[in-house]
Amino acid sequence: MFTTAGSRQWSGGHGKWLPGRETTAVKKGVLTVPLFWRIFALNAVVLAAATALLLWAPVTVSVPVVFTEALVLLGGLAVMLVANAVLLQVGLAPLDRLSRRMATVDLLKPGQRLPVAGHGGVSQLIRAFNDMLSRLEAERATSSTRALSAQEAERRRIAQELHDEVGQSLTAVLLELKRAAGRVDDSDLRADLLHAQETTRESLDEVRRLARRLRPGVLEDLGLVSALTALVTELSTHTGLAIRHRFQPGLPVLDEQAELVIYRVAQEGLTNVARHADATHVEISLRHSDGVVRLRIRDDGRGLGLAHEGAGIRGMRERALLVGASLDLGAAPAGGAEVNLLVPLDRNGP
């Protein structure tokens, strides 16, 4: 296949003329210049200015070169190099911004786009990069939805098995121990049986607690506020944290997925505080305003510092993406850390 001077190409295999590629592309009526020719034009401007200066300036070069003449030539060379560097820096600045964005982009923080100006080759590259980010974010949201849906289904199955299988077995063992302790006359043996009975009862309570954490039945039965209240009460009892909750009355009705996301983010956030923050007081609030439901968790612990985001925080970000919400982590005003989840009421989720 060869290209003619026009804009058509001859295809020997097809035996016909095909549309060809031009050196400069025309898109939507605007002439776009490749990056090579843009850089060449910048250098050509600098060289043309230097040539014009040498032609019309009252400067001569002797043989051998006089010191003053050499000084003038070196000064001109320095000016030309500085002008070339400045023009290239201005022309390639979008590429620098693009490389920095590529090094820091995070698909769990959507909306990171570069501004596009003009219709040149660099602008087309930035548009392609922005389009690629949009596709990757959509694919990430879709895959996260499938993964988290499978995770919730697995949690429900495990919780059901814990409740039906392990819970019932422990209940049967507890009844047998109670019956055996009532038939034994030996006080020492009865004490051992009562101790085993108490241990079994504690294990049964722990199994039920794990089942509730895996599958928050109160969320489905009584709603989001009741589920968060039960979560706060349970964590405060088991961890000793002083957790103060403020849930605004009259919250708008949320769909099942949004309620589950808010509950899981609150669960993960409070669990992180109990495990890593070394906090003594925690405040959790849920309110709505301006078409947004806001969940806030604030503690008086040691804060986030320079700690790397672990699997827990990234899981919170993935859940937020499912409902088009935004998750912000930062320092609390009085020290410690603060988590803010903003769930829009009018949303178009993935």
Side-chain angles (χ1 to χ4, degrees), residues 211-248:
R212 286 194 301 269
R213 287 178 62 84
L214 289 172
R215 181 177 179 270
V218 65
L219 179 63
E220 301 174 358
D221 299 334
L222 301 180
L224 179 60
V225 174
S226 298
L228 290 177
T229 303
L231 175 65
V232 167
T233 303
E234 181 182 1
L235 281 175
S236 180
T237 301
H238 283 82
T239 62
L241 281 174
I243 305 177
R244 182 174 60 179
H245 61 277
R246 296 178 180 177
F247 301 143
Q248 182 180 358

Side-chain angles (χ1 to χ4, degrees), residues 242-246 281-285 296-299:
I243 305 177
R244 182 174 60 179
H245 61 277
R246 296 178 180 177
H281 295 82
V282 185
E283 178 184 325
I284 178 172
S285 63
R296 185 179 67 185
I297 304 173
R298 180 183 294 174
D299 65 80

Side-chain angles (χ1 to χ4, degrees), residues 19-58:
R21 292 176 297 179
E22 299 178 352
T23 303
T24 57
V26 179
K27 184 178 181 181
K28 296 183 179 179
V30 179
L31 186 66
T32 62
V33 182
L35 181 61
F36 168 79
W37 292 109
R38 291 167 61 91
I39 296 176
F40 178 80
L42 292 175
N43 288 302
V45 168
V46 174
L47 293 176
T51 303
L53 184 62
L54 289 176
L55 288 176
W56 285 287

Side-chain angles (χ1 to χ4, degrees), residues 36-94:
F36 168 79
W37 292 109
R38 291 167 61 91
I39 296 176
F40 178 80
L42 292 175
N43 288 302
V45 168
V46 174
L47 293 176
T51 303
L53 184 62
L54 289 176
L55 288 176
W56 285 287
V59 177
T60 59
V61 180
S62 304
V63 179
V65 180
V66 182
F67 176 76
T68 56
E69 295 175 348
L71 194 61
V72 171
L73 290 177
L74 291 176
L77 176 62
V79 171
M80 184 175 62
L81 292 177
V82 170
N84 191 31
V86 171
L87 291 175
L88 285 178
Q89 185 176 13
V90 172
L92 299 180

Side-chain angles (χ1 to χ4, degrees), residues 170-184 190 192-201:
L170 288 176
T171 302
V173 171
L174 186 63
L175 294 176
E176 290 293 335
L177 289 173
K178 182 178 180 180
R179 188 180 301 111
R183 294 197 302 262
V184 171
R190 184 183 298 110
D192 292 339
L193 290 174
L194 291 176
H195 179 71
Q197 182 181 349
E198 186 63 25
T199 302
T200 305
R201 182 180 290 108

Side-chain angles (χ1 to χ4, degrees), residues 9 58 85 89 136 146 151 166-167 176 186 195 204 208 261 277 279 325 337 340 348:
Q9 296 177 342
Q89 185 176 13
L136 290 177
R146 290 196 296 265
Q151 185 184 74
V166 182
E176 290 293 335
D186 189 349
H195 179 71
L204 180 59
R208 289 172 176 171
V261 167
N340 286 283
N348 293 319

